[in-house]
Amino acid sequence: MPDLLTYEPFVLSSLEGEEAPLTAIQEEILELKKKRNAVILAHNYQIEPIQRIADFIGDSLGLAYQAASTEADIILFCGVHFMAETAKIVNPSRTVLLPELEAGCSLSDSCPAERLAAYKKENPEAYIVAYINCSAAVKALSDVICTSGNAVKIVERIPEDKEILFVPDQNLGQWVAGKTKRSMKLWPGSCYAHVLFTVRALEKTKLKYPNAPVIVHPECTEAVRDMADEICSTELMVKYCKESDAKEIIVVTESGMLHRLRKEIPGKTFIAGPTDTCACNDCRFMKMNTIEKVRDALLYMKPEIQMPEDIRSAAYQPIKRMLDWSKA
Ligand code: 13P
Ligand code: SF4
């Protein structure tokens, strides 16, 4: 095991004064965006140069609402594949572009649709709650979708007599089961990036920042969640950091999150959650999108998200249920 003292914490403090001017490629993207009547939606984990030119930055839930309501002809989705697919499902008449088609998700991959279909055949009574980090084909087999931002609320709405199977994230599922006091079967999937955060590394960081509250994404393991002052989605992390009196906050999720916090919250210092080998933690899929690929997507109008209409319309029903239940 590497010595935890061999690296310094990864720290970003809020921006002071003017931001650097946009680069030529960022200017080019903004021009193309206008020409194409496109909207750029970016997840909180995207690299800073992409967040800078986005029309909306948010978590999976916020991005799904934005995708559903946009008037733009083109949705350029800077995130991972399942997120862009969700945009297409909720707004099929728009062209949805993803800068890098290979930007997948380990969590989504851990639940192949064929395996879920086989489970349903064996357990026809099961009520399937699918975390939004899954493929369109898995959504199409599900009863309701949830995100980390609304999972507790969604599960609370499900009638008591239903036997719930929660897919694909066992960590989020376990957290929701505890919050709702609802027994649920959990699909054995996890996010490869969030399970890398460890208690040992976090304890070390806490020694350096003893007064800093710890906010943790629910995809982390139970042992790490147990160290949290707050467990929430990436969007709720922004809210927590805005409202907290703390000047230093340890943020246990993918490190792209720190860019948005630094930009929007003045006067505070954000410390990235550590793993045993690194002071911060990137999702390799989220980081496949580059500013050049964003420009090329708008220039060449590809890669485009497409899916069979029967899958899309079946996947839309549980998403719609989520959007309705989430608003209520
Ligand atoms: P949020 O919806 O909380 O942003 O989470 C998305 C995700 O992929 C976390 O790994
Ligand atoms: Fe998937 Fe994890 Fe990356 Fe989120 S951080 S997109 S859950 S692999």
Side-chain angles (χ1 to χ4, degrees):
M1 184 71 67
D3 182 353
L4 292 174
L5 292 174
T6 56
Y7 63 73
E8 279 298 305
F10 176 64
V11 174
L12 286 182
S13 296
S14 42
L15 286 172
E16 269 165 35
E18 287 294 301
E19 276 187 285
L22 292 178
T23 60
I25 194 160
Q26 286 173 317
E27 297 282 10
E28 192 183 347
I29 291 167
L30 295 182
E31 275 301 306
L32 281 165
K33 186 174 79 110
K34 216 184 295 166
K35 190 169 136 203
R36 303 277 193 210
N37 188 24
V39 65
I40 301 181
L41 305 183
H43 187 264
N44 287 317
Y45 297 162
Q46 290 296 285
I47 56 170
E48 195 273 337
I50 293 180
Q51 293 200 16
R52 182 94 190 268
I53 45 93
D55 295 292
F56 181 84
I57 310 166
D59 67 354
S60 309
L61 183 61
L63 293 166
Y65 276 118
Q66 289 292 326
S69 63
T70 187
E71 300 273 307
D73 296 322
I74 315 290
I75 299 171
L76 176 58
F77 204 107
C78 301
V80 291
H81 194 269
F82 76 82
M83 295 179 173
E85 258 188 353
T86 304
K88 186 69 184 175
I89 294 166
V90 297
N91 209 338
S93 63
R94 313 298 180 209
T95 298
V96 178
L97 304 172
L98 178 66
E100 171 55 67
L101 214 47
E102 294 296 309
C105 167
S106 67
L107 197 42
S108 177
D109 290 347
S110 64
C111 185
E114 315 78 65
R115 280 184 50 206
L116 182 59
Y119 181 94
K120 278 187 70 158
K121 213 165 167 197
E122 295 271 301
N123 303 273
E125 298 301 314
Y127 191 95
I128 316 284
V129 181
Y131 183 32
I132 199 164
N133 296 37
C134 63
S135 66
V138 164
K139 289 183 175 80
L141 293 167
S142 303
D143 293 288
V144 68
I145 306 302
C146 70
T147 73
S148 54
N150 64 15
V152 170
K153 195 170 179 179
I154 297 298
V155 169
E156 279 171 344
R157 288 282 299 256
I158 299 167
E160 284 295 328
D161 61 334
K162 301 282 184 201
E163 268 201 22
I164 300 175
L165 171 69
F166 190 95
V167 303
D169 189 7
Q170 57 187 315
N171 290 304
L172 174 69
Q174 185 192 43
W175 176 66
V176 174
K179 296 283 278 185
T180 58
K181 307 271 182 288
R182 197 68 201 258
S183 104
M184 304 194 292
K185 290 213 169 74
L186 306 176
W187 192 268
S190 56
C191 160
Y192 91 93
H194 281 85
V195 298
L196 288 177
F197 296 111
T198 65
V199 169
R200 218 169 85 106
L202 196 49
E203 274 170 351
K204 209 84 191 171
T205 309
K206 278 188 69 143
L207 279 181
K208 194 153 183 172
Y209 298 94
N211 298 321
V214 177
I215 52 174
V216 170
H217 196 277
E219 287 172 15
C220 294
T221 62
E222 184 176 24
V224 169
R225 292 198 310 270
D226 283 348
M227 293 182 73
D229 293 280
E230 184 73 13
I231 301 168
C232 57
S233 76
T234 59
E235 194 59 35
L236 293 175
M237 286 181 175
V238 179
K239 184 171 185 281
Y240 179 94
C241 292
K242 279 184 179 158
E243 291 171 0
S244 170
D245 293 333
K247 290 280 172 257
E248 297 170 335
I249 301 170
I250 301 170
V251 183
V252 187
T253 194
E254 212 267 3
S255 60
M257 189 70 227
L258 268 63
H259 299 303
R260 175 139 176 241
L261 294 172
R262 172 164 82 145
K263 188 159 180 190
E264 291 188 16
I265 304 172
K268 295 191 184 177
T269 296
F270 304 101
I271 303 109
T275 71
D276 281 346
T277 52
C278 190
C280 62
N281 196 2
D282 280 348
C283 165
R284 66 171 174 270
F285 304 107
M286 286 281 180
K287 273 15 190 203
M288 283 182 184
N289 293 325
T290 62
I291 197 78
E292 289 80 12
K293 289 179 192 173
V294 170
R295 187 262 324 269
D296 289 350
L298 277 181
L299 194 58
Y300 303 116
M301 293 292 284
K302 62 178 191 186
E304 185 183 349
I305 300 290
Q306 276 161 335
M307 75 193 71
E309 176 53 25
D310 58 336
I311 299 273
R312 190 209 66 78
S313 57
Y316 180 61
Q317 301 312 318
I319 296 181
K320 174 144 188 353
R321 187 164 293 136
M322 169 189 80
L323 296 175
D324 293 345
W325 285 7
S326 205
K327 261 189 214 146

